[in-house]
Amino acid sequence: MSLPFIGHREIHRQLEEWRRTGRLPHALMFLGPEGIGKALVARHLAAALLCSEKSAPCGACRSCELLAKDRHPDLFELKPESGRIKIEAVRELKRSFALPPLVSSARAVLIAEAHAMNAAAANALLKTLEEPPAATYFILGSHAAGWVPRTILSRCQKVRFSPLTHAELEAVLQAKGFSGAAQALDWAQGSAKTALQLGQVEADIPSLEQLWGESEGFGLAEAYSLGQSLTEDDKLEPFLESLLRETHQCLLAERHPERRFDLLGFAERILEFRGQLRQNANPKLHLPRLLMYFREPLESRL
């Protein structure tokens, strides 16, 4: 059975060895950047734990069929509601532990965004992690370990994920029907999620050099058109993050020392734009001005 994720083969091998030899910790914490496949690895491990066959997950047994339909009674997922995982969700989870597993010989609990737990939820979960029910495995994940309570981290075996390589990102894009998205690979910083979001609009994304260039290849009409496309389907934030990173990289490498003042101002303008978005500014109106920053007269930038 082919793996449902790209990359992380060494982590997969270690997890499988622990599972087959009965040494899998009851609580794992997957740590690494956002959008690199931690949740996919976690779900695959959960499928293997719940599968009834030796070569798990087999994809054909009753457990695997229930998982494919998202109806497995022994798989539990805690997801944020309005940005937070609250104590009521943890309490409901703990009530489910009063009964043994219903279909499989084990239970799996997935918490892909462990940093979203509020203090009360984290404290309630901590008690369960300290005295876990039999045959129950907790697989937590986070791209913001600093927001996860240390008490929770200390009860879990940490598994650290690295960003995907360019080759792995390219494989992800090709699997989704995107090809030749070289700029998306550079800007994604190892995140498949970001690469896919940017890959959808990669043909229209200008480089930093295009934004400050004198040619008419990217002008006001193109800025407004891009502004319309980027404000749909959560593409805007990855674009801004990537543009900010490219600006910082250019400054650090001192590739264009004569443009240092312009680049510093542009980075500041990106941060200001993010602040405006948090105050519900209309991105379709403000983004074109950001993209035309280098075409503005110098006095208007100050």
Side-chain angles (χ1 to χ4, degrees), residues 213-239:
E214 299 298 329
S215 69
E216 295 301 320
F218 188 85
L220 189 58
E222 289 79 11
Y224 273 101
S225 176
L226 182 59
Q228 296 292 316
S229 63
L230 284 175
T231 51
E232 301 171 358
D233 301 326
D234 298 323
K235 300 169 190 172
L236 180 56
E237 183 56 35
F239 170 70

PDB file of all heavy atoms in Angstrom, residues 213-239:
ATOM      1  N   GLY A 213      11.164  46.580 -11.020  1.00  0.00           N
ATOM      2  CA  GLY A 213      11.708  46.815 -12.353  1.00  0.00           C
ATOM      3  C   GLY A 213      11.034  47.978 -13.057  1.00  0.00           C
ATOM      4  O   GLY A 213       9.954  48.442 -12.674  1.00  0.00           O
ATOM      5  N   GLU A 214      11.675  48.415 -14.113  1.00  0.00           N
ATOM      6  CA  GLU A 214      11.173  49.550 -14.876  1.00  0.00           C
ATOM      7  C   GLU A 214      10.297  49.120 -16.052  1.00  0.00           C
ATOM      8  O   GLU A 214       9.663  49.949 -16.684  1.00  0.00           O
ATOM      9  CB  GLU A 214      12.354  50.379 -15.413  1.00  0.00           C
ATOM     10  CG  GLU A 214      13.251  50.947 -14.318  1.00  0.00           C
ATOM     11  CD  GLU A 214      12.503  51.905 -13.409  1.00  0.00           C
ATOM     12  OE1 GLU A 214      11.564  52.577 -13.901  1.00  0.00           O
ATOM     13  OE2 GLU A 214      12.840  51.969 -12.213  1.00  0.00           O
ATOM     14  N   SER A 215      10.286  47.815 -16.343  1.00  0.00           N
ATOM     15  CA  SER A 215       9.522  47.353 -17.496  1.00  0.00           C
ATOM     16  C   SER A 215       8.028  47.410 -17.193  1.00  0.00           C
ATOM     17  O   SER A 215       7.603  47.525 -16.051  1.00  0.00           O
ATOM     18  CB  SER A 215       9.916  45.913 -17.845  1.00  0.00           C
ATOM     19  OG  SER A 215       9.457  45.029 -16.838  1.00  0.00           O
ATOM     20  N   GLU A 216       7.244  47.308 -18.250  1.00  0.00           N
ATOM     21  CA  GLU A 216       5.784  47.352 -18.105  1.00  0.00           C
ATOM     22  C   GLU A 216       5.195  45.949 -17.966  1.00  0.00           C
ATOM     23  O   GLU A 216       3.995  45.776 -18.086  1.00  0.00           O
ATOM     24  CB  GLU A 216       5.169  48.064 -19.324  1.00  0.00           C
ATOM     25  CG  GLU A 216       5.558  49.523 -19.438  1.00  0.00           C
ATOM     26  CD  GLU A 216       5.153  50.335 -18.207  1.00  0.00           C
ATOM     27  OE1 GLU A 216       4.042  50.105 -17.686  1.00  0.00           O
ATOM     28  OE2 GLU A 216       5.955  51.168 -17.765  1.00  0.00           O
ATOM     29  N   GLY A 217       6.060  44.943 -17.706  1.00  0.00           N
ATOM     30  CA  GLY A 217       5.566  43.576 -17.572  1.00  0.00           C
ATOM     31  C   GLY A 217       4.610  43.404 -16.408  1.00  0.00           C
ATOM     32  O   GLY A 217       3.739  42.549 -16.429  1.00  0.00           O
ATOM     33  N   PHE A 218       4.794  44.221 -15.375  1.00  0.00           N
ATOM     34  CA  PHE A 218       3.874  44.175 -14.240  1.00  0.00           C
ATOM     35  C   PHE A 218       3.507  45.605 -13.880  1.00  0.00           C
ATOM     36  O   PHE A 218       4.312  46.358 -13.336  1.00  0.00           O
ATOM     37  CB  PHE A 218       4.519  43.467 -13.039  1.00  0.00           C
ATOM     38  CG  PHE A 218       3.542  43.216 -11.905  1.00  0.00           C
ATOM     39  CD1 PHE A 218       2.746  42.082 -11.917  1.00  0.00           C
ATOM     40  CD2 PHE A 218       3.409  44.119 -10.869  1.00  0.00           C
ATOM     41  CE1 PHE A 218       1.823  41.857 -10.896  1.00  0.00           C
ATOM     42  CE2 PHE A 218       2.497  43.896  -9.840  1.00  0.00           C
ATOM     43  CZ  PHE A 218       1.708  42.762  -9.870  1.00  0.00           C
ATOM     44  N   GLY A 219       2.294  45.967 -14.198  1.00  0.00           N
ATOM     45  CA  GLY A 219       1.823  47.322 -13.946  1.00  0.00           C
ATOM     46  C   GLY A 219       0.570  47.339 -13.104  1.00  0.00           C
ATOM     47  O   GLY A 219       0.207  46.354 -12.456  1.00  0.00           O
ATOM     48  N   LEU A 220      -0.131  48.468 -13.128  1.00  0.00           N
ATOM     49  CA  LEU A 220      -1.307  48.637 -12.279  1.00  0.00           C
ATOM     50  C   LEU A 220      -2.412  47.640 -12.618  1.00  0.00           C
ATOM     51  O   LEU A 220      -3.055  47.080 -11.726  1.00  0.00           O
ATOM     52  CB  LEU A 220      -1.827  50.068 -12.413  1.00  0.00           C
ATOM     53  CG  LEU A 220      -2.930  50.495 -11.436  1.00  0.00           C
ATOM     54  CD1 LEU A 220      -2.454  50.336  -9.990  1.00  0.00           C
ATOM     55  CD2 LEU A 220      -3.363  51.926 -11.695  1.00  0.00           C
ATOM     56  N   ALA A 221      -2.625  47.389 -13.911  1.00  0.00           N
ATOM     57  CA  ALA A 221      -3.675  46.448 -14.311  1.00  0.00           C
ATOM     58  C   ALA A 221      -3.376  45.048 -13.783  1.00  0.00           C
ATOM     59  O   ALA A 221      -4.268  44.355 -13.262  1.00  0.00           O
ATOM     60  CB  ALA A 221      -3.806  46.423 -15.834  1.00  0.00           C
ATOM     61  N   GLU A 222      -2.101  44.630 -13.876  1.00  0.00           N
ATOM     62  CA  GLU A 222      -1.700  43.315 -13.370  1.00  0.00           C
ATOM     63  C   GLU A 222      -1.818  43.257 -11.846  1.00  0.00           C
ATOM     64  O   GLU A 222      -2.179  42.228 -11.272  1.00  0.00           O
ATOM     65  CB  GLU A 222      -0.266  42.992 -13.798  1.00  0.00           C
ATOM     66  CG  GLU A 222      -0.092  42.706 -15.270  1.00  0.00           C
ATOM     67  CD  GLU A 222      -0.065  43.963 -16.119  1.00  0.00           C
ATOM     68  OE1 GLU A 222       0.035  45.070 -15.544  1.00  0.00           O
ATOM     69  OE2 GLU A 222      -0.149  43.840 -17.344  1.00  0.00           O
ATOM     70  N   ALA A 223      -1.506  44.363 -11.171  1.00  0.00           N
ATOM     71  CA  ALA A 223      -1.600  44.428  -9.708  1.00  0.00           C
ATOM     72  C   ALA A 223      -3.044  44.236  -9.257  1.00  0.00           C
ATOM     73  O   ALA A 223      -3.323  43.510  -8.302  1.00  0.00           O
ATOM     74  CB  ALA A 223      -1.045  45.747  -9.186  1.00  0.00           C
ATOM     75  N   TYR A 224      -3.979  44.885  -9.927  1.00  0.00           N
ATOM     76  CA  TYR A 224      -5.386  44.727  -9.562  1.00  0.00           C
ATOM     77  C   TYR A 224      -5.891  43.322  -9.868  1.00  0.00           C
ATOM     78  O   TYR A 224      -6.666  42.741  -9.096  1.00  0.00           O
ATOM     79  CB  TYR A 224      -6.244  45.774 -10.291  1.00  0.00           C
ATOM     80  CG  TYR A 224      -6.341  47.082  -9.550  1.00  0.00           C
ATOM     81  CD1 TYR A 224      -5.582  48.180  -9.920  1.00  0.00           C
ATOM     82  CD2 TYR A 224      -7.183  47.221  -8.441  1.00  0.00           C
ATOM     83  CE1 TYR A 224      -5.653  49.377  -9.234  1.00  0.00           C
ATOM     84  CE2 TYR A 224      -7.271  48.413  -7.744  1.00  0.00           C
ATOM     85  CZ  TYR A 224      -6.499  49.495  -8.148  1.00  0.00           C
ATOM     86  OH  TYR A 224      -6.568  50.665  -7.452  1.00  0.00           O
ATOM     87  N   SER A 225      -5.459  42.764 -10.983  1.00  0.00           N
ATOM     88  CA  SER A 225      -5.869  41.403 -11.338  1.00  0.00           C
ATOM     89  C   SER A 225      -5.345  40.402 -10.309  1.00  0.00           C
ATOM     90  O   SER A 225      -6.083  39.511  -9.863  1.00  0.00           O
ATOM     91  CB  SER A 225      -5.345  41.047 -12.729  1.00  0.00           C
ATOM     92  OG  SER A 225      -5.655  39.717 -13.058  1.00  0.00           O
ATOM     93  N   LEU A 226      -4.073  40.546  -9.926  1.00  0.00           N
ATOM     94  CA  LEU A 226      -3.504  39.646  -8.924  1.00  0.00           C
ATOM     95  C   LEU A 226      -4.186  39.829  -7.577  1.00  0.00           C
ATOM     96  O   LEU A 226      -4.420  38.866  -6.841  1.00  0.00           O
ATOM     97  CB  LEU A 226      -1.999  39.892  -8.797  1.00  0.00           C
ATOM     98  CG  LEU A 226      -1.235  38.993  -7.824  1.00  0.00           C
ATOM     99  CD1 LEU A 226      -1.376  37.531  -8.213  1.00  0.00           C
ATOM    100  CD2 LEU A 226       0.236  39.381  -7.777  1.00  0.00           C
ATOM    101  N   GLY A 227      -4.512  41.079  -7.253  1.00  0.00           N
ATOM    102  CA  GLY A 227      -5.205  41.351  -5.994  1.00  0.00           C
ATOM    103  C   GLY A 227      -6.527  40.616  -5.898  1.00  0.00           C
ATOM    104  O   GLY A 227      -6.909  40.113  -4.837  1.00  0.00           O
ATOM    105  N   GLN A 228      -7.240  40.512  -7.023  1.00  0.00           N
ATOM    106  CA  GLN A 228      -8.509  39.794  -7.035  1.00  0.00           C
ATOM    107  C   GLN A 228      -8.300  38.298  -6.803  1.00  0.00           C
ATOM    108  O   GLN A 228      -9.012  37.664  -6.029  1.00  0.00           O
ATOM    109  CB  GLN A 228      -9.213  40.018  -8.383  1.00  0.00           C
ATOM    110  CG  GLN A 228      -9.602  41.447  -8.652  1.00  0.00           C
ATOM    111  CD  GLN A 228     -10.700  41.946  -7.736  1.00  0.00           C
ATOM    112  OE1 GLN A 228     -11.680  41.246  -7.486  1.00  0.00           O
ATOM    113  NE2 GLN A 228     -10.541  43.151  -7.224  1.00  0.00           N
ATOM    114  N   SER A 229      -7.288  37.696  -7.457  1.00  0.00           N
ATOM    115  CA  SER A 229      -7.089  36.247  -7.366  1.00  0.00           C
ATOM    116  C   SER A 229      -6.504  35.830  -6.032  1.00  0.00           C
ATOM    117  O   SER A 229      -6.834  34.760  -5.512  1.00  0.00           O
ATOM    118  CB  SER A 229      -6.184  35.764  -8.505  1.00  0.00           C
ATOM    119  OG  SER A 229      -4.895  36.343  -8.406  1.00  0.00           O
ATOM    120  N   LEU A 230      -5.638  36.658  -5.452  1.00  0.00           N
ATOM    121  CA  LEU A 230      -4.979  36.264  -4.211  1.00  0.00           C
ATOM    122  C   LEU A 230      -5.882  36.361  -2.994  1.00  0.00           C
ATOM    123  O   LEU A 230      -5.606  35.757  -1.963  1.00  0.00           O
ATOM    124  CB  LEU A 230      -3.735  37.137  -3.974  1.00  0.00           C
ATOM    125  CG  LEU A 230      -2.508  36.811  -4.822  1.00  0.00           C
ATOM    126  CD1 LEU A 230      -1.409  37.827  -4.570  1.00  0.00           C
ATOM    127  CD2 LEU A 230      -2.005  35.415  -4.524  1.00  0.00           C
ATOM    128  N   THR A 231      -6.943  37.120  -3.082  1.00  0.00           N
ATOM    129  CA  THR A 231      -7.832  37.275  -1.932  1.00  0.00           C
ATOM    130  C   THR A 231      -8.880  36.179  -1.862  1.00  0.00           C
ATOM    131  O   THR A 231      -9.784  36.226  -1.046  1.00  0.00           O
ATOM    132  CB  THR A 231      -8.529  38.649  -1.980  1.00  0.00           C
ATOM    133  OG1 THR A 231      -9.121  38.843  -3.266  1.00  0.00           O
ATOM    134  CG2 THR A 231      -7.532  39.762  -1.711  1.00  0.00           C
ATOM    135  N   GLU A 232      -8.737  35.163  -2.695  1.00  0.00           N
ATOM    136  CA  GLU A 232      -9.654  34.027  -2.677  1.00  0.00           C
ATOM    137  C   GLU A 232      -8.916  32.773  -2.219  1.00  0.00           C
ATOM    138  O   GLU A 232      -7.741  32.585  -2.504  1.00  0.00           O
ATOM    139  CB  GLU A 232     -10.234  33.801  -4.081  1.00  0.00           C
ATOM    140  CG  GLU A 232     -10.987  35.017  -4.630  1.00  0.00           C
ATOM    141  CD  GLU A 232     -11.366  34.837  -6.093  1.00  0.00           C
ATOM    142  OE1 GLU A 232     -11.010  33.789  -6.656  1.00  0.00           O
ATOM    143  OE2 GLU A 232     -11.998  35.747  -6.644  1.00  0.00           O
ATOM    144  N   ASP A 233      -9.610  31.923  -1.493  1.00  0.00           N
ATOM    145  CA  ASP A 233      -9.102  30.592  -1.111  1.00  0.00           C
ATOM    146  C   ASP A 233      -7.820  30.635  -0.281  1.00  0.00           C
ATOM    147  O   ASP A 233      -6.912  29.819  -0.444  1.00  0.00           O
ATOM    148  CB  ASP A 233      -8.865  29.732  -2.358  1.00  0.00           C
ATOM    149  CG  ASP A 233     -10.126  29.547  -3.183  1.00  0.00           C
ATOM    150  OD1 ASP A 233     -11.209  29.478  -2.570  1.00  0.00           O
ATOM    151  OD2 ASP A 233     -10.024  29.481  -4.403  1.00  0.00           O
ATOM    152  N   ASP A 234      -7.701  31.589   0.614  1.00  0.00           N
ATOM    153  CA  ASP A 234      -6.586  31.629   1.575  1.00  0.00           C
ATOM    154  C   ASP A 234      -5.220  31.709   0.901  1.00  0.00           C
ATOM    155  O   ASP A 234      -4.235  31.182   1.413  1.00  0.00           O
ATOM    156  CB  ASP A 234      -6.632  30.397   2.496  1.00  0.00           C
ATOM    157  CG  ASP A 234      -7.900  30.342   3.316  1.00  0.00           C
ATOM    158  OD1 ASP A 234      -8.363  31.414   3.733  1.00  0.00           O
ATOM    159  OD2 ASP A 234      -8.418  29.246   3.533  1.00  0.00           O
ATOM    160  N   LYS A 235      -5.128  32.346  -0.237  1.00  0.00           N
ATOM    161  CA  LYS A 235      -3.843  32.460  -0.920  1.00  0.00           C
ATOM    162  C   LYS A 235      -3.074  33.709  -0.508  1.00  0.00           C
ATOM    163  O   LYS A 235      -1.861  33.793  -0.723  1.00  0.00           O
ATOM    164  CB  LYS A 235      -4.054  32.484  -2.440  1.00  0.00           C
ATOM    165  CG  LYS A 235      -4.729  31.255  -3.004  1.00  0.00           C
ATOM    166  CD  LYS A 235      -5.118  31.488  -4.447  1.00  0.00           C
ATOM    167  CE  LYS A 235      -6.005  30.352  -4.959  1.00  0.00           C
ATOM    168  NZ  LYS A 235      -6.564  30.644  -6.288  1.00  0.00           N
ATOM    169  N   LEU A 236      -3.757  34.699   0.059  1.00  0.00           N
ATOM    170  CA  LEU A 236      -3.126  35.989   0.320  1.00  0.00           C
ATOM    171  C   LEU A 236      -2.039  35.895   1.378  1.00  0.00           C
ATOM    172  O   LEU A 236      -0.931  36.410   1.195  1.00  0.00           O
ATOM    173  CB  LEU A 236      -4.185  37.013   0.742  1.00  0.00           C
ATOM    174  CG  LEU A 236      -3.662  38.421   1.042  1.00  0.00           C
ATOM    175  CD1 LEU A 236      -2.896  38.982  -0.141  1.00  0.00           C
ATOM    176  CD2 LEU A 236      -4.817  39.342   1.418  1.00  0.00           C
ATOM    177  N   GLU A 237      -2.322  35.242   2.505  1.00  0.00           N
ATOM    178  CA  GLU A 237      -1.339  35.186   3.588  1.00  0.00           C
ATOM    179  C   GLU A 237      -0.065  34.450   3.172  1.00  0.00           C
ATOM    180  O   GLU A 237       1.039  34.940   3.448  1.00  0.00           O
ATOM    181  CB  GLU A 237      -1.961  34.548   4.836  1.00  0.00           C
ATOM    182  CG  GLU A 237      -1.029  34.504   6.049  1.00  0.00           C
ATOM    183  CD  GLU A 237      -0.493  35.858   6.445  1.00  0.00           C
ATOM    184  OE1 GLU A 237      -1.234  36.855   6.311  1.00  0.00           O
ATOM    185  OE2 GLU A 237       0.676  35.937   6.880  1.00  0.00           O
ATOM    186  N   PRO A 238      -0.156  33.291   2.508  1.00  0.00           N
ATOM    187  CA  PRO A 238       1.083  32.663   2.032  1.00  0.00           C
ATOM    188  C   PRO A 238       1.870  33.557   1.076  1.00  0.00           C
ATOM    189  O   PRO A 238       3.102  33.580   1.111  1.00  0.00           O
ATOM    190  CB  PRO A 238       0.596  31.392   1.327  1.00  0.00           C
ATOM    191  CG  PRO A 238      -0.711  31.089   1.960  1.00  0.00           C
ATOM    192  CD  PRO A 238      -1.326  32.416   2.274  1.00  0.00           C
ATOM    193  N   PHE A 239       1.177  34.293   0.228  1.00  0.00           N
ATOM    194  CA  PHE A 239       1.857  35.195  -0.695  1.00  0.00           C
ATOM    195  C   PHE A 239       2.597  36.291   0.062  1.00  0.00           C
ATOM    196  O   PHE A 239       3.769  36.579  -0.221  1.00  0.00           O
ATOM    197  CB  PHE A 239       0.849  35.814  -1.660  1.00  0.00           C
ATOM    198  CG  PHE A 239       1.415  36.938  -2.488  1.00  0.00           C
ATOM    199  CD1 PHE A 239       2.343  36.678  -3.481  1.00  0.00           C
ATOM    200  CD2 PHE A 239       1.027  38.237  -2.262  1.00  0.00           C
ATOM    201  CE1 PHE A 239       2.875  37.706  -4.243  1.00  0.00           C
ATOM    202  CE2 PHE A 239       1.552  39.281  -3.015  1.00  0.00           C
ATOM    203  CZ  PHE A 239       2.475  39.011  -4.016  1.00  0.00           C
TER     204      PHE A 239
END
